[in-house]
Amino acid sequence: MLTEARLVFLLCFALMTTWASTLFSCSKTTTPVKEVVINVDTVAAPANVDTALKRYLALGDSYTIGQSVKVYERYPVQAVEKLRLAGYQVAEAEIIATSGWTTANLLDAVAGIVAAPSYDMVTLLIGVNNQYQGGSLDEYRLQFAFLLQKAIQFAGDRPKRVVVLSIPDYSVTPFANTADKEKIAREINAFNDINKNISESFHVNYLNVTEESRKAANDHSLIAYDDLHFSGKEYSIWTSLLVPVMKSAFNK
């Protein structure tokens, strides 16, 4: 739940007309947002950026960091590999994601980060933990909008260099066998309605991976060994949807 100081920060953030500042605050009485140094499950940005290489930043939670799969099975890593095989010069994927993160956690993580030079592609997949923890749709709507604005900033204010992936549906996994599967699916749909509408309003790319994830109900090979997250095979399907969008953006 948002603290009063955090809410004031977010509301003031929405009124800003420039992204030039790297520290966002509204007044001397507002608690400043501190840069979060991420050192768990995160691929750090290189100290010296080779501007000849395309840079890709992936923002998210357990699905982005690839909980319970090998590093090379993560969808951002698979995407880079496919792009390289197609002849594109792409740097290693930079990932800001940790299992269990909600939109609030990701907001804290990226608040003080500046991309210089800007990324050539940014993906955003966040929200399953908002649903799992019983977070409100209104809070998600507000925080997701700010995250998407930040993603666009990272992409050099180029909305078409940003891709939002819909929230997968974990109700199809064995983990949810004792839960109300229909309720989970219904709530996932509600959160996805929000991120899709916001994505459309900001004119970014949107990929529906939710329906693909639901195929795991009849194919256990699409589920990781922990019986909760998805497998590298499932992530390869997402990658096959993502890479054409990335290629199109790079070619323009």
Side-chain angles (χ1 to χ4, degrees):
M1 190 64 65
L2 291 175
T3 63
E4 181 178 355
R6 183 64 175 166
L7 181 58
V8 171
F9 158 70
L10 289 174
L11 292 174
C12 292
F13 185 89
L15 297 175
M16 296 182 68
T17 58
T18 177
W19 292 99
S21 174
T22 63
L23 180 65
F24 306 103
S25 61
C26 305
S27 69
K28 292 182 179 180
T29 59
T30 302
T31 303
V33 177
K34 297 184 294 183
E35 179 176 352
V36 176
V37 179
I38 305 164
N39 54 23
V40 177
D41 286 342
T42 302
V43 178
N48 297 310
V49 178
D50 184 348
T51 56
L53 298 177
K54 300 293 186 184
R55 297 179 68 205
Y56 166 34
L57 173 66
L59 306 172
D61 49 35
S62 58
Y63 297 129
T64 300
I65 201 61
Q67 180 69 35
S68 301
V69 302
K70 302 293 185 181
V71 170
Y72 64 83
E73 293 179 308
R74 298 170 175 174
Y75 74 81
V77 176
Q78 290 194 54
V80 168
E81 180 62 21
K82 285 185 177 294
L83 287 167
R84 288 174 173 173
L85 290 173
Y88 293 85
Q89 294 184 321
V90 188
E92 296 295 329
E94 298 172 43
I95 302 174
I96 301 177
T98 296
S99 296
W101 270 5
T102 64
T103 46
N105 298 131
L106 186 55
L107 269 173
D108 285 338
V110 302
I113 298 175
V114 175
S118 60
Y119 290 91
D120 298 285
M121 183 60 63
V122 180
T123 57
L124 174 62
L125 195 176
I126 192 75
V128 69
N129 294 300
N130 292 69
Q131 181 278 329
Y132 181 73
Q133 296 177 23
S136 75
L137 294 175
D138 287 340
E139 181 179 79
Y140 179 73
R141 182 180 292 106
L142 177 67
Q143 294 176 349
F144 184 85
F146 291 133
L147 281 170
L148 188 52
Q149 289 174 351
K150 190 67 175 177
I152 293 171
Q153 178 198 2
F154 285 151
D157 295 321
R158 298 172 293 179
K160 291 305 179 184
R161 294 299 183 100
V162 177
V163 181
V164 170
L165 286 77
S166 65
I167 304 167
D169 185 358
Y170 69 91
S171 72
V172 300
T173 69
F175 173 85
N177 283 345
T178 59
D180 186 339
K181 291 175 176 284
E182 291 185 1
K183 179 176 182 289
I184 293 172
R186 185 169 61 251
E187 291 178 351
I188 292 291
N189 287 341
F191 280 90
N192 278 331
D193 285 343
I194 291 172
N195 60 46
K196 182 178 181 180
N197 289 336
I198 294 174
S199 297
E200 291 175 347
S201 70
F202 280 97
H203 306 291
V204 302
N205 300 288
Y206 188 85
L207 291 183
N208 184 344
V209 299
T210 310
E211 295 310 312
E212 288 297 334
S213 72
R214 287 172 172 156
K215 295 177 182 178
N218 299 311
D219 184 354
H220 198 75
S221 69
L222 300 177
I223 299 173
Y225 70 85
D226 65 2
D227 283 340
L228 170 58
H229 295 91
F230 295 95
S231 68
K233 181 179 178 180
E234 175 66 19
Y235 292 145
S236 70
I237 296 171
W238 303 4
T239 303
S240 69
L241 299 174
L242 175 61
V243 167
V245 179
M246 298 178 77
K247 286 181 179 179
S248 177
F250 292 164
N251 292 339
K252 291 182 180 178

